[in-house]
Amino acid sequence: MIKLLGKLVADKIAAGEVVDRPLSIVKELVENSIDAGASHITIEIKNGGKSFIRVTDNGSGIYKDEVTLAFMRHATSKITEAEDLGHIMTLGFRGEALASIAAVSRVELFTKRPDEKVGSRLNIAGGEIQENVPIGCPEGTTLVVSDLFYNTPARLKFMKSDSTESTLIIDFISKIALAYPEIIIRLISNGTNLFTTQGKGDRFNTVLTVYSRDIGEALLPVTAESDWIKMEGFVSKPSFNKTNRKHQIFFVNGRVISSKVIEAGLEEAYFDKMFDGRFPVAFLFIWIDPSKVDVNIHPNKKEVRFDDDRLIREFITNEIRAVLNTKKTIPEIKVKKPESINKPVDDVQVDIKQLLSTMREKEEISNYTDISRSKEFSGLNSDELISTTENSNEVGNYLIAEQIKREYFSIEELHLLGVIFGTYLLATLENTFYMIDQHAAHERIFYENLMKQYKISDKSVQKLLIPFIINVSYTTKENAYDWLDVLIDAGFDIEEFGSKAYKVSGVPIFMSIQEAQDFITYFIENISEDIDLSNEKIIDKIISKSCKSAIKAGDIISIDEAQALISELSACENPYSCPHGRPTFIKLSKYEIERMFKRV
Ligand code: ADP
Ligand code: MG
């Protein structure tokens, strides 16, 4: 027999789509507070939100006559016509959140409009209104949600441990705090104040409040704008990186979203600056004409669809690349300040990162790793030295100046002092001392020359008086029609020579014969049948790896050769790291030297 479901049953089923765990309730309530124009929002949770969630705001409040309406399905004040859907400017618009939350928990609402004399208190449990009375209360809205899923045992069982649920909520509120730096956001968990943002609109400061101070030192500001897109935020210097993408946070038109397109744009920007399997930290805020993005493809609105993925991706890659190719990315040797070792813990900021990582360790739900691993990357001893470029204040001021000036580094002006250990060039410029890793620099030059050569049609090839022979296996030979072209494009004169060999009679002009032999040998060894040589990125990767093997460590160079290396490096598009992400430069300021000698 077919029967129409009763309202309560239907509500419970529908509720499951909007509310599946404490996080989704927090999300809906906070988004409502933002939509209500609040400038102050406090979120308090207990037991990961399972037993208690309270969100208090100082927003518009709800009219006494409309409080019950707010809890009805498809009741919304935010859209009236279907065509409004095309230009939604609020976070909520479906009018189902409050109805869904009330269907699966006990809810208490306090609300007051500024233009009404009294406010209301409404109690609703399992979707049924228990009480609706006038009450004196502050302007704004407070929603208390308790006993989540008390009437849906299956869902109740589905919830994870308190710490898993609270980790999700803390992550989410952290992101919201970044997205809305002009709102004071306070987060309390089990009675502990985790953070309170300043609400002064300063994104950098918000990052420092929400994530630790450490992260701030590693960030570079990004600002970019064209007629259809605007991007702001911070990306980490290549030397500061993670083993996963958890620290890549993206916002599109104010919403926290995940996006493969943005991830790909970012990855491409760091392509030749970071080892495989390492990921930069990024906080990117993007605004696009709302008619050019679709935020409605998923009810949780975590994914967006762009009209033109490629345009977005290229915009991100180009702009971030420009930020990374400045001298600000050079790792700097700094002596740790004594006060930062015993930094007092203030009550406004708890180390969320620490908190999250201990929680995660307990839960074993992630492969979260700490930053100390990134130190091995910059080659600095993490105990006494920290790798950083600018101090956080400077970055802050830099931002306030609005106009971001990209500082390019005039490498040719370096005053070369000498070479030590047959490897490192020493130089000064103004008040800074630089060390340059000869091999990292050479690899960078070699790689850029080769890629340039590969891309242009007019190759500069030097003919060899005595050609050399490269022997290969039968299988390699089988694939020759693919890889041979790549080598020819890179500027080699190479042709078949018998059944298992090739003859090389010309090499790119900037290579020595030994380098050319090593390059080709490595290149051929690393071509396997399943490599897609029509993919430019794969070719780029093989070329960059082959460069590494062609450059030998430890050759002593003269001052003249060192000078030539510096001028070639200055011609590079990205002189600050080798193609695999190792830095070419390390700097030490006069000020830091003076501090080490305790002069200042
Ligand atoms: P939606 O946000 O999609 O409109 P909700 O169920 O989340 O749907 O909320 C229903 C309505 O209740 C909103 O449209 C809004 O008018 C009102 N409302 C909810 N929360 C608040 C709040 N914190 N402050 C003011 N009004 C609110
Ligand atoms: Mg809503």
Side-chain angles (χ1 to χ4, degrees), residues 131-143:
E131 194 175 24
N132 179 6
V133 290
I135 191 176
C137 62
E139 283 168 18
T141 304
T142 295
L143 264 141

Side-chain angles (χ1 to χ4, degrees), residues 28 32 78 92 97:
E28 293 296 340
N32 279 349
K78 298 168 192 171

Side-chain angles (χ1 to χ4, degrees), residues 455-596:
K455 284 172 185 157
I456 57 170
S457 53
D458 196 10
K459 320 280 175 196
S460 330
V461 181
Q462 54 172 322
K463 292 278 172 203
L464 303 179
L465 283 176
I466 307 163
F468 60 84
I469 308 298
I470 300 276
N471 295 308
V472 302
S473 68
Y474 279 120
T475 39
T476 311
K477 187 96 192 265
E478 297 273 287
N479 297 320
Y481 64 92
D482 276 336
W483 60 259
L484 205 56
D485 279 351
V486 174
L487 288 178
I488 291 167
D489 284 346
F492 292 92
D493 272 351
I494 178 167
E495 62 196 334
E496 226 179 309
F497 190 72
S499 61
K500 278 169 68 184
Y502 289 86
K503 184 175 81 181
V504 181
S505 49
V507 302
I509 197 132
F510 52 87
M511 275 189 201
S512 71
I513 294 177
Q514 186 59 51
E515 284 169 349
Q517 269 174 350
D518 290 341
F519 180 89
I520 297 178
T521 308
Y522 184 92
F523 185 86
I524 292 177
E525 274 170 13
N526 283 275
I527 301 287
S528 63
E529 282 166 69
D530 47 0
I531 281 183
D532 174 11
L533 284 175
S534 61
N535 181 331
E536 208 172 294
K537 251 178 114 169
I538 292 177
I539 290 181
D540 193 311
K541 195 137 253 175
I542 299 176
I543 289 184
S544 88
K545 284 193 177 142
S546 309
C547 289
K548 192 182 165 78
S549 75
I551 307 295
K552 291 285 181 289
D555 352 283
I556 313 275
I557 57 170
S558 68
I559 279 284
D560 286 348
E561 284 170 311
Q563 194 66 60
L565 191 74
I566 285 181
S567 67
E568 282 184 74
L569 189 61
S570 75
C572 285
E573 195 196 325
N574 169 27
Y576 306 114
S577 70
C578 85
H580 313 94
R582 277 194 301 121
T584 47
F585 285 85
I586 283 181
K587 69 177 176 182
L588 181 60
S589 69
K590 182 167 170 235
Y591 177 73
E592 290 297 334
I593 295 174
E594 286 174 343
R595 279 174 49 127
M596 286 196 257

Side-chain angles (χ1 to χ4, degrees), residues 54-73:
R54 177 165 55 202
V55 175
T56 301
D57 69 50
N58 64 347
S60 66
I62 304 174
Y63 285 112
K64 224 162 54 270
D65 297 346
E66 293 184 350
V67 286
T68 54
L69 202 59
F71 286 90
M72 283 167 67
R73 198 159 293 284

Side-chain angles (χ1 to χ4, degrees), residues 330-333 378 380 433-436 583-588:
I330 300 176
E332 178 170 10
I333 299 168
S378 62
L380 300 177
F433 168 70
Y434 294 89
M435 279 189 282
I436 300 153
T584 47
F585 285 85
I586 283 181
K587 69 177 176 182
L588 181 60

Side-chain angles (χ1 to χ4, degrees), residues 235-236 238 266-274 280-281 320 324:
V235 293
S236 63
L266 194 61
E267 188 165 333
E268 182 77 33
Y270 282 84
F271 175 61
D272 59 350
K273 299 178 183 63
M274 208 167 266
V281 170
I320 292 177
L324 296 179

